[in-house]
Amino acid sequence: MGQLKQALQAADPILDLNLRILKLENRLQRERLARLEAEAIAERGLSEQYRQLMLLETIATKANQSAAVDDALRFALKAICDHTRCRFGNVYMLADQGPRRLLPTALMHGKAADQLMPFINLTRRTEFPAGHGLPGRVLESGEAAWISDVAADPDFLRAKAAAECGLHAAFAFPVLVGKDVVAVMEFFFKENLELNAPMLAVMSQIGTQLGRVMERRAAENRLIHDASHDPLTGLPNRLLFVDRLERAVAAHRRRPEIGFAVLFIDLDGFKLVNDSLGHAAGDALLIEIAARLLKVLSSDEEKGVLPTLARLGGDEFTVLLEELHENNIAPAVAERLQQALRRPLMIGSQQVYTTASIGIAASTGDYASAADIMRDADLAMYRAKSEGRARVEVFDQSLHDTAMRRLSVENDLRGALQKNEFVLHYQPVVALNSGIVVGFEALLRWQRGPGQLVPPADFISVAEETGLIVPIGNWVMREAFATIAAWHRAYPWPAPLTMSVNVSPRQFDQADFVEQVLEAVKVSSARPETIRLEITESVALKDPGRAIEILRRLHEAGVRVSVDDFGTGYSSLSYLQQLPFDTLKIDRSFINALQKKAEGGDFVRTILDLARNLNMDVVAEGAETQSHVEQLRDMGCGFAQGYYFSRPLERDAAAALLAQPRRLLPPKHDVQVKR
Amino acid sequence: MKGIVFNLLEDVVSRDFGADAWDGILENSLASGTYTSLGNYSDAEMLALVSAAAARLQMTGPEVLRWFGENAMPLLKERYAALFENHTSARSFVLSVNSIIHPEVRKLYSGASCPFFHFREREDGAVLMEYGSSRKMCDLAHGFVKGAANMFGEEVEITHHTCMNHGAEKCLMEMRWVS
């Protein structure tokens, strides 16, 4: 500018002109420089914007392709560190439980990290409650934050370590799902840096992008979880259980020395809770039971056993025990599971007692598939239940054989009706005072193939379970009723013969049971008053109200009903009084006891007194010896049946008994028995 | 300080006193004189220009700032008419500085550090304005308010109750519109 000063002092026109040119040149130069500067600024801005866009796009693309959230976060950490040239970045995750706070993660990225160890170590073990420190502030505000120099920031909790490691400027931003902060990323520079608002805005967008990935991943995880878990108890469901079991089966093949076992747990009497207290109570019970079982299993987990508890549905739970080094662990666990259920459960204000039947199948059975081992554990459980419940049964081959036999019985049974394989045998009922045959009990036999007559004990339970008993029972009624009708025509007698037919629980449960009986009576043209339906106490007492109603309707139609196997169930005298039974049949076990002990007689005498008071007839079953018969007659028992008189006979043989004199015992005229 | 302020100063000086005057001011202030609205320049450079302008235009520094602010306002309206559109009085325009004008400035010029004004509207119609920027340019604000009043054909009296340039912690100005 020295030239300019000299020129100012001149008054010469030429100089004056030169001066003006100089000034103009100066202005032109200023303008040019301003333009270049503006262009440089604009270019820097554009380039920075482009780089930021690329960063955002790269992270968004990678995040969307990542299989795991951690991969996306790790990529973002590195990309941001590279872009901003910062020294160190790390991720905090929102704590799932407990107070709202951020937990450090292993997701970190840094340059020359060894020099930063004091700061990294401190960061690794520091949690940040909402509002505290840089990440805590971001968690609370949900917005990105910038600190020009953390060493000089009173709210920066790790200032000393940061200063020690030469870290100064820092920024942090939230990973947002909707408006919720689910994670926070923070970054540190070795320089002091003023707020870079545009960059911070881009970081916020990255946070939103990552949040979308986390949200999507969380939704996927939720779907997978829901598909593989029971919504009520939160336990794994059948799908997940079978999957884990398949893995266990495969693992066992690789390492046969380490065993596993499957426990099938079925609650005894759960249906009763559901029916009497309602489904909500049933649900609450299942939740509580799941918690108790889990507690037991978690204590086993500490001992190195790897347990998986699952709910298959209803009241069925299963446990997979892995890493078993001894064979006796599974039964011991089963015992402890039962113990845990023994304490009463509180459902609302109700105390509920429950027990469990547990079946165990172990890897020692050399299984090839999850389905096989589950089938066997189920079989063992089934046996535990049928052996009296609240038991533990371990599967063995005999169980399998029994099951196979049952299966074969079931298969054959399905065709038996069509093939006319059922026959009825008839056992006479004798009046003890006159010795005369007064009726028969129809007994089912199965002619399974030529020369093979199957007794009821071998197939009735299968028929009952499969429901085949209903059509079979109907056939029995029609056949027996038709027989008695035919005999009445063939052998007329002033006091009509009776025909007793056993009714199974499943039959009695049919909603139209009475109609089925009356239909059978009608088609056979039998006289209703000659029919005796025999039902057991337990069947009648299952729903006493319904039983009373059924008995009443049968009575109206003239059909009579007997209590079968009296004394073997939980006889409830109060119900016996309400239920209009006509006849009481004393179980054969009491008659058997007659010859052995004196008390045997007391039991029978008590039953006879009871029947007399209730105005019921009594039929003693299983009268096998003369002594039985005499004692029964002496005690005033009206009727009896048993081998002493006759074994069950085929139809023609039974009919032959009806020919005169029809007497199987010399009469005893001093005892009066009504019939 | 944003380059736009330097551009405005150049514009008003050149318009009222000629391009030579600006050349002289630049020369005396030893400032670079190369300013683009996109750039950022030091506050000291602005103070040097104001001081050089004061000497050349025979005003005090505060007078230069007030004159500059008042005369820059029409130029601002030419450039940023939208900021004026929704106002029917200088009062509402001035009161929108924190909520509308400065946020818009930040959008245009990223990194702009705009001062914040605390306003208090008194029952008698006067507006108290508190200013506490380290730049201590309360007089520029004074000039802007004056200029804004001119734009809306109003007259405003401004009293400086306290001033950072006289040792106060904050500047407190009272604006009273003369009806």
Side-chain angles (χ1 to χ4, degrees), chain A residues 1 4-5 8 20 23 27 30-31 33-34 37-39 41-42 198, chain B residues 10 19-20 22-23 26-27 32-36 38-41 110:
Chain A
M1 289 287 164
L4 197 63
K5 270 196 179 141
L8 274 170
R20 284 210 72 75
K23 278 183 179 175
R27 281 176 210 157
R30 283 205 311 268
E31 288 300 323
L33 287 174
E37 191 182 330
E39 284 167 2
I41 291 170
Chain B
E10 180 182 348
D20 284 354
W22 181 245
D23 283 348
L26 283 182
E27 198 166 352
S32 77
T34 308
Y35 306 115
T36 150
L38 297 175
N40 262 326
Y41 306 92
S110 70

Side-chain angles (χ1 to χ4, degrees), chain A residues 483-506:
Chain A
T483 300
I484 196 68
W487 285 347
H488 282 149
R489 286 192 297 274
Y491 309 99
W493 197 264
L497 272 180
T498 61
M499 179 62 76
S500 296
V501 170
N502 293 287
V503 173
S504 86
R506 196 81 171 239

Side-chain angles (χ1 to χ4, degrees), chain A residues 77 80-82 84-92 108-111 116 119-120 123 128 133-135 145-151 156-159 161-163 165-172 184-193 199:
Chain A
L77 271 177
I80 293 170
C81 280
D82 291 349
T84 60
R85 293 186 186 85
C86 70
R87 283 294 305 276
F88 177 68
N90 65 298
V91 181
Y92 297 90
M108 298 181 165
H109 183 85
K111 267 180 267 176
L116 304 176
F119 184 78
I120 291 175
T123 297
F128 290 91
L134 174 60
W146 185 284
I147 299 175
S148 302
D149 182 6
V150 293
F156 190 80
L157 306 176
R158 292 160 289 166
C165 300
L167 297 176
H168 292 283
F171 68 89
V184 169
M185 300 182 87
E186 68 171 359
F187 296 87
F188 296 90
F189 297 90
K190 64 182 194 293
E191 313 85 6
N192 283 7
L193 290 173
M199 187 179 89

Side-chain angles (χ1 to χ4, degrees), chain A residues 83-160:
Chain A
H83 175 86
T84 60
R85 293 186 186 85
C86 70
R87 283 294 305 276
F88 177 68
N90 65 298
V91 181
Y92 297 90
M93 289 287 184
L94 186 68
D96 290 342
Q97 290 160 347
R100 196 168 138 74
R101 66 198 196 285
L102 290 166
L103 307 179
T105 67
L107 296 170
M108 298 181 165
H109 183 85
K111 267 180 267 176
D114 47 333
Q115 293 160 29
L116 304 176
M117 281 329 281
F119 184 78
I120 291 175
N121 286 334
L122 179 61
T123 297
R124 265 195 186 135
R125 56 174 194 265
T126 310
E127 298 183 0
F128 290 91
H132 291 271
L134 174 60
R137 253 155 56 202
V138 172
L139 172 60
E140 187 163 79
S141 68
E143 285 170 9
W146 185 284
I147 299 175
S148 302
D149 182 6
V150 293
D153 190 300
D155 190 44
F156 190 80
L157 306 176
R158 292 160 289 166
K160 196 163 152 277

Side-chain angles (χ1 to χ4, degrees), chain B residues 76-131:
Chain B
L76 284 169
K77 191 181 176 181
E78 271 174 39
R79 282 200 187 200
Y80 310 111
L83 292 177
F84 293 79
E85 268 169 13
N86 292 323
H87 299 283
T88 53
S89 72
R91 184 195 174 91
S92 80
F93 174 76
V94 168
L95 288 174
S96 74
V97 67
N98 293 318
S99 57
I100 296 170
I101 298 173
H102 282 166
E104 287 298 321
V105 170
R106 288 191 195 95
K107 280 186 209 165
L108 280 173
Y109 308 111
S110 70
S113 51
C114 305
F116 186 83
F117 298 92
H118 283 280
F119 290 104
R120 202 163 76 237
E121 292 180 80
R122 281 209 325 229
E123 278 179 21
D124 62 4
V127 172
L128 285 173
M129 180 170 84
E130 194 188 84
Y131 165 86

Side-chain angles (χ1 to χ4, degrees), chain A residues 12-29:
Chain A
D12 188 307
I14 304 290
L15 275 178
D16 209 33
L17 210 60
N18 282 339
L19 182 65
R20 284 210 72 75
I21 289 168
L22 253 176
K23 278 183 179 175
L24 285 171
E25 277 176 358
N26 262 330
R27 281 176 210 157
L28 194 63
Q29 178 67 359

